[in-house]
Amino acid sequence: MALRTALLVATLMGIAQPPGSALACGDGEAPTACDDPSPNGFASWMLGRVAQALRADPAGALADFTAGTRGFRTADTYVFCVGPDGIMTAHPNPILKGHDVRDLHDRTGNHFIQTMLGTAKPGQIAVIHYLFPKPGSTVEESKTTYYTRAGDQMCAVGVYDTDQAAPAAATPDGRVAQLRQTLDEKIPSQARADWIAFLEALNAQGDAKAAAIAQARRDIRAATAALDSAGLRTAGAD
């Protein structure tokens, strides 16, 4: 109850990221991105990216989920993850990030985090419904959340039931998503396979760039560790 109260107070004070500063659909959308008409098309696509990011660079991925960078944030949709010990490892709200959230529940008594931790399975996307305030608000709203297990993390993407439409075109990425939806509706059936292949190629290109950045981070950390170690050995020799 204390955590839930703190969360509501924090959002009222504006600690959570306000909708106005949120990002729209990110880089490298696949055909099942924000413009996918299926109920969980966006969530399936995003959770696929989440799993890939965690495999490539766990610490960097969790930081990206929290910050909403690299396309892991839309106007009212974000990625959050909980570790096996119940600690929220990624979330845009600092009241939740780094805290045990197993007792978090909505006003109906729905302990949704406990349920998600107990039922999340690798390679499968499950769905749960509960009440939760939007970033910057204290009003609990109906939310549909899709979740899976990626490594030792339970990660999820929620969609507020009032925001099931395509993303607002308030940013360049949002306008791209809208144009992609328009084109997808007008592409002739005989050209649809090529159109999907084109979108998949764009997504693969984005994933390749992300993998290269992750490898560069690992190389930098390894080089730094080697330099530190060499410095310690030199100091010891002196």
Side-chain angles (χ1 to χ4, degrees):
M1 179 62 71
L3 178 60
R4 181 169 175 268
T5 301
L7 169 64
L8 296 178
V9 172
T11 51
L12 180 61
M13 294 176 63
I15 293 178
Q17 183 178 8
S21 61
L23 303 176
C25 296
D27 53 348
E29 289 97 347
T32 53
C34 300
D35 52 348
D36 192 296
S38 60
N40 71 334
F42 167 69
S44 297
W45 167 77
M46 181 66 83
L47 289 175
R49 289 196 67 210
V50 164
Q52 291 176 0
L54 285 171
R55 284 194 297 269
D57 182 8
L62 292 173
D64 285 335
F65 303 160
T66 295
T69 52
R70 287 181 51 211
F72 290 109
R73 181 77 190 266
T74 69
D76 288 308
T77 301
Y78 51 85
V79 176
F80 65 91
C81 296
V82 181
D85 54 359
I87 300 299
M88 187 77 80
T89 53
H91 197 286
N93 192 333
I95 292 297
L96 295 177
K97 171 72 165 57
H99 296 278
D100 189 333
V101 293
R102 284 173 291 188
D103 190 49
L104 191 61
H105 57 280
D106 62 19
R107 66 172 180 264
T108 70
N110 181 3
H111 286 72
F112 47 91
I113 295 293
Q114 288 185 9
T115 300
M116 295 163 74
L117 286 172
T119 56
K121 296 180 180 179
Q124 297 183 19
I125 296 179
V127 61
I128 189 171
H129 304 277
Y130 55 90
L131 303 175
F132 202 76
K134 287 184 177 182
S137 172
T138 61
V139 179
E140 290 185 334
E141 299 188 31
S142 179
K143 188 174 186 179
T144 300
T145 292
Y146 302 90
Y147 61 99
T148 189
R149 188 167 299 281
D152 66 347
Q153 300 289 314
M154 184 285 293
C155 292
V157 175
V159 180
Y160 290 94
D161 294 350
T162 56
D163 297 330
Q164 291 289 353
T171 68
D173 286 330
R175 288 192 290 274
V176 168
Q178 278 196 345
L179 288 170
R180 186 167 293 177
Q181 179 180 14
T182 301
L183 289 172
D184 189 64
E185 293 172 350
K186 295 182 178 180
I187 291 292
S189 58
Q190 62 269 26
R192 183 163 296 277
D194 289 337
W195 170 245
I196 292 176
F198 169 69
L199 294 179
E200 289 176 340
L202 287 180
N203 188 57
Q205 184 182 59
D207 289 342
K209 290 179 180 178
I213 292 172
Q215 184 60 51
R217 287 174 177 169
R218 288 193 292 268
D219 292 342
I220 291 172
R221 285 198 293 267
T224 301
L227 290 173
D228 289 344
S229 179
L232 290 173
R233 284 198 298 271
T234 302
D238 294 339

